[in-house]
């Protein structure tokens, strides 16, 4: 299993939201690149970046901070938020981002995502509220089942699916393992769990369930999870 510590960017700062609501933003650092550096020192290989302003604006909004993270670490970076066209994908890859997350556009224009996945390292972000797909920075719920969307990307070159249970996001009430497994089963792809992780019991449950990866956000920032211990547990699990 791969652990992806998360940095959500809002107005150039590292923040966490609750249930994806922008007005719940809690600032954890004015220098997100230092947070990324810390993750690297703790033994992380990846960092999961989200341009929150970009997710709402539909275009990149935190470029300076993203560049700083790239310049100051050797981490692999996956990035989502406001990526809606090929030009933006190419720009980020030239910046040195390792793979890109397509979310809202995956619902609205799945063919675009499939075309991009044949050419570039693409991950699909599926965010769900009560099993239904949420779009536009989670501001709206669509009438599509998350598992149906996952199925649509089964054999098209997509590298992985990140599935977020929006109702648990930032709540630290535990990961929704059943939902994650349903996405994995529907797509047959590497599946990364997101939303609600609290502590080592979640890490153990994910490892036992055979989940491929998990995103760690608030649990790290609020100190309910020791990242070093989490990396150790993953290594020991093999």
């Amino acid at each position: 299993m791969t652990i992806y510590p998360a940095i959500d960017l809002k107005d150039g700062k590292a923040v966490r939201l609750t249930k994806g609501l922008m007005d719940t933003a809690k600032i954890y650092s004015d220098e997100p690149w230092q947070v990324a550096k810390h993750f690297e020192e703790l033994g992380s290989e990846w960092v999961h970046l989200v341009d929150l302003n970009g997710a709402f604006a539909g275009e990149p909004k935190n470029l300076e901070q993203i560049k700083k993270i790239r310049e100051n670490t050797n981490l692999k970076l996956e990035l989502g938020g406001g990526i809606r066209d090929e030009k933006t994908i190419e720009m980020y890859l030239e910046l040195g981002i390792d793979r890109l997350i397509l979310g809202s556009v995956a619902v609205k224009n799945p063919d675009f995502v499939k075309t991009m996945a044949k050419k570039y390292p693409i991950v699909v972000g599926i965010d769900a509220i009560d099993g239904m797909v949420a779009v536009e920075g989670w501001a709206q719920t669509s009438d599509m089942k998350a598992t149906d969307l996952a199925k649509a990307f089964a054999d098209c070159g997509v590298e992985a699916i990140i599935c977020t249970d929006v109702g648990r996001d930032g709540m630290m009430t535990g990961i929704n393992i059943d939902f994650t497994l349903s996405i994995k089963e529907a797509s047959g792809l590497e599946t990364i769990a997101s939303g609600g992780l609290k502590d080592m019991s979640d890490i153990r449950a994910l490892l036992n369930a055979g989940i491929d990866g998990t995103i760690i956000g608030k649990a790290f920032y609020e100190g309910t999870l020791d990242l070093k211990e989490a990396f150790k547990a993953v290594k020991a699990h093999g």
Side-chain angles (χ1 to χ4, degrees), residues 51 53-55 57-63 66-67 79-103 105 112 116 119-122:
D51 178 352
N53 303 101
E59 59 185 20
K61 288 288 178 189
N62 280 282
L63 267 178
I66 292 162
K67 283 178 185 167
L79 169 72
I83 303 166
R84 306 277 199 270
D85 55 45
E86 188 166 6
K87 196 165 77 129
T88 307
I89 291 170
E90 288 176 338
M91 180 271 295
Y92 275 134
L93 291 172
E94 278 164 25
L95 264 189
I97 304 300
D98 294 276
R99 63 188 194 185
L100 297 163
I101 305 157
L102 299 181
V105 73
F112 168 75
M116 293 302 100
K119 298 159 79 169
Y120 309 110
I122 298 294

Side-chain angles (χ1 to χ4, degrees), residues 10-183:
K10 180 177 186 276
D11 307 332
K13 297 172 170 55
V15 306
R16 298 307 295 170
L17 306 184
T18 301
K19 295 188 180 181
L21 301 169
M22 284 293 254
D23 59 5
T24 64
K26 182 175 176 182
I27 297 168
Y28 287 96
S29 174
D30 291 334
E31 295 291 349
W33 69 270
Q34 292 178 350
V35 180
K37 192 85 194 139
H38 183 52
F39 288 147
E40 189 171 31
E41 286 158 2
L42 290 173
S44 190
E45 286 179 25
W46 281 92
V47 162
H48 172 85
L49 298 172
V50 181
D51 178 352
L52 290 172
N53 303 101
F56 284 88
E59 59 185 20
K61 288 288 178 189
N62 280 282
L63 267 178
E64 284 316 301
Q65 286 301 332
I66 292 162
K67 283 178 185 167
K68 273 190 185 172
I69 291 167
R70 179 65 294 160
E71 286 160 7
N72 288 285
T73 72
N74 294 309
L75 291 157
K76 288 191 253 186
L77 305 178
E78 67 174 23
L79 169 72
I83 303 166
R84 306 277 199 270
D85 55 45
E86 188 166 6
K87 196 165 77 129
T88 307
I89 291 170
E90 288 176 338
M91 180 271 295
Y92 275 134
L93 291 172
E94 278 164 25
L95 264 189
I97 304 300
D98 294 276
R99 63 188 194 185
L100 297 163
I101 305 157
L102 299 181
S104 292
V105 73
V107 184
K108 295 185 168 168
N109 191 351
D111 289 340
F112 168 75
V113 176
K114 290 172 186 177
T115 305
M116 293 302 100
K118 288 185 173 75
K119 298 159 79 169
Y120 309 110
I122 298 294
V123 174
V124 167
I126 297 180
D127 307 323
I129 297 170
D130 300 326
M132 306 305 281
V133 175
V135 290
E136 300 306 331
W138 303 347
Q140 300 167 22
T141 312
S142 71
D143 53 7
M144 181 185 282
K145 276 187 181 169
T147 46
D148 289 342
L149 184 59
K151 253 180 220 145
F153 296 107
D155 296 300
C156 65
V158 166
E159 292 195 356
I161 290 179
I162 296 168
C163 58
T164 304
D165 181 339
V166 174
R168 296 188 187 214
D169 188 72
M171 299 296 287
M172 298 197 297
T173 49
I175 285 268
N176 190 338
I177 297 231
D178 292 341
F179 168 62
T180 309
L181 287 172
S182 73
I183 296 291

